[in-house]
């Protein structure tokens, strides 16, 4: 289950589990460990007033008495002190995330249980989750390692900040804790069920992919279908959406330690959350889906991470960007050791390839790994949307979804021909734009690397040419002079992008879509050699005889 699809019921059940854990621990300390030893305190413990069933019922988690508790895609079990006569928590009192080594720890000092001790206080007296002065004050996220326990390996949360009261709204801290456990749970499952080594961690789709077309053509449906069962999260852009929301920033959060009740912490956005998960699970594709990408200003929302959209042949970022101090600190705390190692290796490889000296410190630079995909939908015809600049568009693979919901695929196109003639084609397109365009500036022309070297290959250029070059010319460079640039023969009335994609053909000098020829068709080599041979022999014969060529007759000239 992905973090952004967690239901309110899941959060409430998770709260109930933490409420019981906190209250039961305090109750057991008061009653001298009356619950006994092991998992959830035994119902037949040696005390006349202990009623486990009623305690569990208080929080609607009665199933814990006989079986682990399922919350979303995670399974939990509560384990109390493992030492008879002691009521402590390091490492013997914790909530175990089943099938993983992860646990939620209190890290309290051992307390000697008094023989026959009991308490007459009602269970409700031990519900003090919002009191920062009463132990336990923190809940740690740790990991068991053989006989040792790294109880705070993944950080800690103050009970007062988790909002465990019956009427408290779900806090950002509790959501963050739940999402962290989901990531650790998914990682444990991935390691337990590793795909075969021959199975690549790739999807048969572009890594930076924008699907566009008219409303109702099924753009979101197509993206969802392609995402399948891979981990993914979704965000919708809108005019007020910002870099701070997409990547992350310092934001005010509720805190019991501040006199004002407010403090500031770095709150990550969907980009950073997806990046962390992709680094944590390098063998699994992770997808960030952006709905309506052009309803916000994309260049402003992506900010400096826009640089990371340049992908190498392996699919990872071609370049790195430096992190802000707050993002760097957040990554250092929230990235696992394995994820840090993966990021370090990725950044080092990029720096070496670029000729730069690698940074010595962790999380100073970031890059997108090859298993992180960014997919988006857009409708460029809508009014009020933000335009995309050419530099931003160039880093994406665009695919047009026709009015009938099908992805437009050119039929009569030979990739080898397009690849061999790419430089000639783009040069002639530039000439066509300059000759017939209407005041088109120079920076609208096609540069040699408008298509990357990988996109210029015979295997990739058909898709790249149709989704990048044609779409760019139609929607941007030649938007206001389409009849002069494109061949409109056979089109019914207004020219549509679907007409160009349908008519694209490498068997025609104008590729079937341009007003002028843009490519020289290959002709048979044999006639050329024969004609050249005859001409050479004739010339040599004339020179040997000392003669000169006779002038062409009017008829020959006309021919």
């Amino acid at each position: 289950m992905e973090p952004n699809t967690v239901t309110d019921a899941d959060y409430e059940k998770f709260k109930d589990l933490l409420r019981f854990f906190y209250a039961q621990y305090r109750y057991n300390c008061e009653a001298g460990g009356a619950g006994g030893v092991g998992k959830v305190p035994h119902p037949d413990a040696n005390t006349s007033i202990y009623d486990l069933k009623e305690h569990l019922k208080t929080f609607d988690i009665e199933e814990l008495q006989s079986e682990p508790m399922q919350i979303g895609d995670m399974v939990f079990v509560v384990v109390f002190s493992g030492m008879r006569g002691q009521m402590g928590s390091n490492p013997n009192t914790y909530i175990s995330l089943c099938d993983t080594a992860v646990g939620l720890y209190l890290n309290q000092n051992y307390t000697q249980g008094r023989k026959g001790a009991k308490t007459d206080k009602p269970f409700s007296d031990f519900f003090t989750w919002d009191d920062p002065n009463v132990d336990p004050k923190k809940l740690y996220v740790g990991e068991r390692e053989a006989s040792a326990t790294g109880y705070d390996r993944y950080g800690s949360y103050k009970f007062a900040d988790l909002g465990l009261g019956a009427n408290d709204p779900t806090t950002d801290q509790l959501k963050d804790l739940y999402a962290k456990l989901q990531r650790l749970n998914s990682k444990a499952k991935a390691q337990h069920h590793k795909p075969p080594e021959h199975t690549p961690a790739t999807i048969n789709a572009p890594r930076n992919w924008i699907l566009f077309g008219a409303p109702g053509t099924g753009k979101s449906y197509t993206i969802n279908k392609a995402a399948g069962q891979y981990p993914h999260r979704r965000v919708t852009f809108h005019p007020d959406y910002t870099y701070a929301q997409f990547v992350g920033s310092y934001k005010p959060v509720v805190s019991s330690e501040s006199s004002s009740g407010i403090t500031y912490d770095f709150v990550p956005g969907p980009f950073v959350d997806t990046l962390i998960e992709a680094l944590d699970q390098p063998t699994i594709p992770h997808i960030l889906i952006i709905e309506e990408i052009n309803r916000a200003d994309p260049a402003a929302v992506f900010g400096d991470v826009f640089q990371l959209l340049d992908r190498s042949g392996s699919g990872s970022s071609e370049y790195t960007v430096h992190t802000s101090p707050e993002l760097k600190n957040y990554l250092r705390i929230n990235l696992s050791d394995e994820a840090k190692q993966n990021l370090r290796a990725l950044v080092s490889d990029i720096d070496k390839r670029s000729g730069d000296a690698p940074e010595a410190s962790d999380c100073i630079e970031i890059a997108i790994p090859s298993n992180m995909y960014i997919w988006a939908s857009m409708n460029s015809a809508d009014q009020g949307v933000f335009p995309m600049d050419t530099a931003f568009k160039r880093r994406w693979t665009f695919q047009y979804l026709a009015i009938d919901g099908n992805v437009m695929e050119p039929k009569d196109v030979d990739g080898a021909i397009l690849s061999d003639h790419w430089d000639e084609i783009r040069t002639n397109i530039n000439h066509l734009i300059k000759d017939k365009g209407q005041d088109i500036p120079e920076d609208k022309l096609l540069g040699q690397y408008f298509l990357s070297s990988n996109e210029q290959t015979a295997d990739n250029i058909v898709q790249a040419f149709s989704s990048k070059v044609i779409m760019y010319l139609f929607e941007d460079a030649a938007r206001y002079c389409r009849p002069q640039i494109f061949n409109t023969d056979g089109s019914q009335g207004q020219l549509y992008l679907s007409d160009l994609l349908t008519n694209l053909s490498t068997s025609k000098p104008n590729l079937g879509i341009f007003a002028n020829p843009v490519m020289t068709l290959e002709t048979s080599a044999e006639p050329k050699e024969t004609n050249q041979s005859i001409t050479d022999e004739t010339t040599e014969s004339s020179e040997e005889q000392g003669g000169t060529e006779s002038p062409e007759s009017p008829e020959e000239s006309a021919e």
Side-chain angles (χ1 to χ4, degrees):
M1 183 182 296
E2 43 181 312
N4 64 323
T5 60
V6 180
T7 66
D8 290 340
D10 290 330
Y11 283 131
E12 287 304 314
K13 199 170 183 181
F14 185 56
K15 282 191 203 178
D16 286 338
L17 176 64
L18 300 184
R19 289 177 186 133
F20 171 78
F21 183 54
Y22 178 97
Q24 184 67 51
Y25 173 78
R26 294 194 63 240
Y27 179 90
N28 283 2
C29 287
E30 180 81 11
V37 175
K39 293 188 178 181
V40 173
H42 305 305
D44 58 351
N46 185 22
T47 171
S48 59
I49 65 170
Y50 185 82
D51 191 335
L52 174 63
K53 184 175 181 179
E54 284 301 315
H55 291 183
L56 292 170
K57 188 176 181 180
T58 301
F59 301 99
D60 297 318
I61 54 175
E62 295 95 324
E63 66 261 41
L64 265 178
Q65 185 169 359
S66 57
E67 61 186 22
M69 188 166 72
Q70 178 95 29
I71 305 177
D73 60 352
M74 297 183 288
V75 180
F76 298 92
V77 67
V78 179
V79 179
F80 283 93
S81 175
M83 298 180 65
R84 185 168 298 278
Q86 303 276 352
M87 181 48 61
S89 66
N90 188 6
N92 300 307
T93 296
Y94 60 97
I95 297 177
S96 172
L97 181 55
C98 295
D99 298 324
T100 76
V102 175
L104 297 174
Y105 297 87
L106 297 176
N107 193 42
Q108 296 294 296
N109 292 327
Y110 288 115
T111 300
Q112 182 68 39
R114 291 176 289 114
K115 184 176 181 180
K118 60 183 180 179
T119 178
D120 295 326
K121 292 181 181 179
F123 197 45
S124 58
D125 281 6
F126 300 94
F127 304 171
T128 55
W129 308 291
D130 57 350
D131 190 339
N133 300 311
V134 175
D135 283 327
K137 299 175 182 178
K138 289 185 178 182
L139 184 66
Y140 296 89
V141 186
E143 189 168 87
R144 301 184 303 284
E145 300 170 348
S147 59
T149 301
Y151 69 90
D152 59 350
R153 181 173 181 179
Y154 302 110
S156 65
Y157 297 82
K158 296 176 183 175
F159 275 101
D161 293 339
L162 291 174
L164 299 182
N167 298 317
D168 289 345
T170 303
T171 65
D172 288 339
Q173 287 88 341
L174 186 128
K175 290 180 179 179
D176 183 75
L177 170 58
Y178 192 93
K180 182 177 292 185
L181 291 176
Q182 280 186 310
R183 289 197 295 270
L184 296 170
N185 188 50
S186 297
K187 179 181 176 181
K189 288 181 178 179
Q191 290 176 339
H192 186 66
H193 302 288
K194 284 188 177 180
E197 292 185 2
H198 62 272
T199 303
T202 59
I203 305 174
N204 187 26
R207 285 177 170 82
N208 302 337
W209 185 31
I210 294 181
L211 201 61
F212 70 106
T217 51
K219 297 182 289 293
S220 297
Y221 172 80
T222 303
I223 289 176
N224 283 343
K225 187 176 180 181
Q229 300 302 310
Y230 294 108
H232 58 274
R233 57 168 37 82
R234 176 176 280 98
V235 61
T236 301
F237 280 10
H238 54 79
D240 293 328
Y241 200 74
T242 64
Y243 174 89
Q245 292 168 282
F246 183 61
V247 177
S249 68
Y250 263 94
K251 294 180 182 179
V253 294
V254 178
S255 172
S256 59
E257 292 188 349
S258 172
S259 57
S260 64
I262 298 292
T263 187
Y264 286 84
D265 282 326
F266 182 85
V267 179
F271 177 86
V272 169
D273 284 336
T274 307
L275 176 65
I276 289 175
E277 291 172 0
L279 291 169
D280 258 335
Q281 302 172 335
T283 62
I284 301 175
H286 287 262
I287 307 164
L288 174 58
I289 299 174
I290 304 171
E291 298 284 7
E292 306 291 352
I293 190 172
N294 59 336
R295 287 197 174 277
D297 183 350
V301 172
F302 274 81
D304 54 352
V305 301
F306 157 79
Q307 177 102 353
L308 303 181
L309 295 177
D310 265 321
R311 304 281 192 134
S312 65
S314 66
S316 59
S317 292
E318 189 76 44
Y319 310 103
T320 65
V321 296
H322 278 70
T323 55
S324 62
E326 55 269 22
L327 175 56
K328 176 186 66 179
N329 291 335
Y330 180 83
L331 292 175
R332 285 177 173 174
I333 294 173
N334 289 275
L335 282 177
S336 66
D337 291 342
E338 182 182 351
K340 287 179 183 177
Q341 184 177 352
N342 293 334
L343 177 59
R344 193 183 305 120
L346 174 62
V347 169
S348 177
D349 182 61
I350 295 172
D351 286 341
K352 289 176 182 177
R353 193 167 62 235
S354 304
D356 299 328
E359 295 282 357
S361 181
D362 279 339
C363 306
I364 293 291
E365 296 176 280
I366 58 171
I368 297 175
S370 61
N371 65 317
M372 178 173 168
Y373 294 71
I374 307 177
W375 295 348
S377 67
M378 65 174 274
N379 176 16
S380 58
D382 272 348
Q383 296 182 8
V385 299
F386 287 83
M388 290 184 181
D389 60 69
T390 304
F392 188 83
K393 285 183 177 179
R394 191 180 67 80
R395 287 161 169 81
W396 296 82
T397 295
F398 285 80
Q399 275 195 306
Y400 179 64
L401 206 61
I403 200 67
D404 60 1
N406 293 322
V407 175
M408 296 297 295
E409 297 276 351
K411 300 295 188 292
D412 184 24
V413 184
D414 187 326
I417 294 176
L418 273 183
S419 179
D420 291 341
H421 290 269
W422 160 242
D423 202 51
E424 178 191 8
I425 291 171
R426 66 124 195 139
T427 301
N428 286 329
I429 290 175
N430 288 341
H431 288 322
L432 181 61
I433 290 175
K434 288 191 289 184
D435 291 343
K436 297 193 175 185
Q438 299 175 357
D439 300 322
I440 298 178
E442 186 176 0
D443 62 5
K444 292 292 186 182
L445 302 181
L446 301 176
Q448 182 178 358
Y449 297 105
F450 185 88
L451 297 183
S452 68
S453 56
N454 186 52
E455 289 172 326
Q456 292 179 29
T457 62
D459 290 336
N460 299 327
I461 196 168
V462 175
Q463 203 283 327
F465 189 85
S466 58
S467 69
K468 274 193 178 180
V469 178
I470 297 177
M471 185 267 188
Y472 165 69
L473 294 172
F474 187 84
E475 295 285 351
D476 195 339
R479 184 182 183 90
Y480 301 106
C481 55
R482 291 170 182 167
Q484 291 75 37
I485 301 300
F486 297 109
N487 174 27
T488 57
D489 293 345
S491 62
Q492 300 294 323
Q494 185 173 342
L495 181 68
Y496 291 108
L497 181 58
S498 55
D499 296 326
L500 300 180
L501 296 177
T502 300
N503 295 329
L504 182 64
S505 171
T506 49
S507 63
K508 301 176 182 179
N510 69 342
L511 294 181
I513 62 173
F514 292 104
N516 289 351
V518 294
M519 178 181 70
T520 304
L521 285 179
E522 298 293 340
T523 57
S524 173
E526 185 175 343
K528 286 184 179 180
E529 293 175 1
T530 302
N531 292 338
Q532 182 64 41
S533 176
I534 294 174
T535 302
D536 291 345
E537 289 176 2
T538 304
T539 303
E540 290 171 3
S541 176
S542 298
E543 289 175 351
E544 287 175 359
Q545 297 174 6
T548 58
E549 289 189 42
S550 60
E552 295 178 331
S553 67
E555 291 82 2
E556 291 174 330
S557 178
E559 291 175 357

